[in-house]
Amino acid sequence: MKEIFANIPAVKYEGADSKNKFAFKFYDADKVILGKKMSEHLPFAMAWWHNLCANGADMFGRGTADKSFGKKPGTMEHAKAKVDAGFEFMQKLGIKYFCWHDVDLVPEADDIKETNARLDEISDYILEKMNKTGIKCLWGTANMFGNPRYMNGAGSTNSADVFAFAAAQVKKALDITVKLGGRGYVFWGGREGYETLLNTDVKFEQENIARLMKMAVKYGRSIGFKGDFFIEPKPKEPMKHQYDFDAATAIGFLKAHGLEKDFKMNIEANHATLAGHTFEHELRISAINGMLGSVDANQGDYLLGWDTDEFPCDVYTATYAMLEILKAGGLTGGLNFDAKNRRPSYTYEDMFHAFILGMDTWALGLINAAKLIEDGTLDKFKENKYSTFKTTEIGKKILSDKTSLEELAAYAEKLGAPELPSGGSQEYLQHVINNVLFGK
Ligand code: XLS
Ligand code: NI
Ligand code: NI
């Protein structure tokens, strides 16, 4: 088969001194860090939609990048050319996973039966490529936000017929996920939210979203899906207010509807910052609830209030994120580059540079996080910070739930003023981090 990215070589690790622009400087797939290969710590995935479909079009201008791969867009020949391009791309970069929406894989027909037949055909073709290359499916999802029928939501729609269409798409996307052996299935509630409460029954809408998710779990398990369902929280965009605002909100929703056993979080960095949180905050909240599943690895821009989906280059953020992931024992999902090239970066070479940047950034994050764990200062500090609960009699009583307000009140009265242990030292810790990261 003719190569699509013919002028671009396979990208290999060459080390930080390499000047080869098609080489990794930090991502060394087989290198063992904290007992595991880098490639296992970092299950990178390619997002079909950004990499093989998006052409740089925005509200103000048409596309700049040619993603036709030599075929006419809107045809099955083009859908297959995207598969060819995607697998060649992933092989050249050593990426082991991919993620998709139903309508990224095939052009949507007017009749859902025809769309589904196209999905059957393309997934046969994808499966062949998977078997030849060993590349795997990380997760699949149904696009329930693009088609005009979802203008009032999918699970949260005001139309029972539209709800049925959403269910039909979820069913088929689950079929294809299972067929491709996907590790997960994602719900990103793009249109599940509202513009104004004046016309919205929030309780009704949220209950219906839960109904759709329950049906998805029931059906998925019945066809042998053993992976995790994921909610991908996002506070806004396209809706003014989205129901899965952040991890804490989504976890509360799952628990309220008895879905917490089957679902975990898919945390996107740019969504975290849109919610007014750091990326690592969202990872921590997911982790302490046992729901850290997968990551959409991108970054936003602090000066822009929307999902800019940039490839990650911020090494501090990648370090803090990897620290959370390592502490949580890793991901059940992976690191999906839900990220796109900037509009003027329209060439095939730019597509590769974007992934080289993203993969090297996360590799640095991993290397740094491992150093911080080995250094141990942060862990020791935290342990010491709360030590009065372990070393004093009253602290031990509180932790073992063996006291009461009355007893604590009597104790406090006797005490006069409490001695205050230091709890901060933020500047010291930040300095330690810089020393560990940049010191020899
Ligand atoms: C949009 C979301 C979307 C999901 C998948 O902001 O990030 O791309 O990851 O539907
Ligand atoms: Ni995403
Ligand atoms: Ni996003």
Side-chain angles (χ1 to χ4, degrees), residues 345-389:
S345 308
Y346 71 92
T347 67
Y348 284 169
E349 285 81 0
D350 287 319
M351 289 167 69
F352 280 82
H353 290 314
F355 274 76
I356 294 170
L357 168 69
M359 291 164 79
D360 261 352
T361 300
W362 275 85
L364 278 168
L366 169 62
I367 293 166
N368 289 341
K371 280 193 202 162
L372 289 169
I373 288 175
E374 276 164 358
D375 169 77
T377 309
L378 295 177
D379 281 339
K380 259 183 252 139
F381 188 88
K382 260 191 239 167
E383 200 179 317
N384 194 34
K385 175 173 172 178
Y386 302 98
S387 61
T388 60
F389 285 90

Side-chain angles (χ1 to χ4, degrees), residues 47 49-50 100-101 104 139 141-145 186-190 232-234 236-238 242 266 268 270-271 274 296 298 307 309 336 338:
W49 54 103
H50 281 312
W100 50 271
H101 301 83
D104 305 332
W139 52 256
T141 187
N143 177 324
M144 303 193 293
F145 44 89
V186 164
F187 280 91
W188 168 60
E232 183 178 325
K234 185 176 184 182
K236 57 188 168 187
E237 194 204 13
Q242 288 183 190
N266 178 38
E268 177 164 319
N270 204 160
H271 297 180
L274 283 180
D296 270 9
N298 63 10
D307 204 8
D309 285 342
N336 168 43
D338 191 354

Side-chain angles (χ1 to χ4, degrees), residues 203-353:
K203 185 168 186 289
F204 180 89
E205 293 196 358
Q206 292 200 347
E207 283 171 0
N208 264 1
I209 294 170
R211 283 193 176 94
L212 184 60
M213 289 181 175
K214 281 181 198 165
M215 285 188 247
V217 170
K218 193 169 168 210
Y219 179 73
R221 299 305 180 213
S222 81
I223 59 166
F225 176 59
K226 301 222 164 45
D228 290 316
F229 288 87
F230 297 121
I231 283 189
E232 183 178 325
K234 185 176 184 182
K236 57 188 168 187
E237 194 204 13
M239 304 309 281
K240 176 172 131 181
H241 180 96
Q242 288 183 190
Y243 293 134
D244 301 322
F245 190 93
D246 59 2
T249 311
I251 291 166
F253 170 85
L254 290 171
K255 288 188 174 165
H257 294 282
L259 286 159
E260 72 275 16
K261 296 236 157 27
D262 293 283
F263 274 80
K264 290 194 165 75
M265 295 295 115
N266 178 38
I267 297 297
E268 177 164 319
N270 204 160
H271 297 180
T273 49
L274 283 180
H277 299 308
T278 61
F279 183 23
E280 56 272 23
H281 167 93
E282 288 293 84
L283 296 171
R284 177 75 65 90
I285 295 297
S286 307
I288 62 173
N289 284 282
M291 289 198 207
L292 177 55
S294 208
V295 162
D296 270 9
N298 63 10
Q299 73 181 41
D301 184 317
Y302 286 104
L303 302 182
L304 300 175
W306 61 92
D307 204 8
T308 59
D309 285 342
E310 293 170 36
F311 277 86
C313 71
D314 179 343
V315 174
Y316 275 101
T317 299
T319 301
Y320 294 146
M322 272 316 299
L323 204 49
E324 297 303 322
I325 292 169
L326 290 173
K327 288 277 176 192
L331 300 166
T332 57
L335 295 165
N336 168 43
F337 286 112
D338 191 354
K340 62 187 181 217
N341 283 96
R342 297 306 87 191
R343 196 162 177 266
S345 308
Y346 71 92
T347 67
Y348 284 169
E349 285 81 0
D350 287 319
M351 289 167 69
F352 280 82
H353 290 314

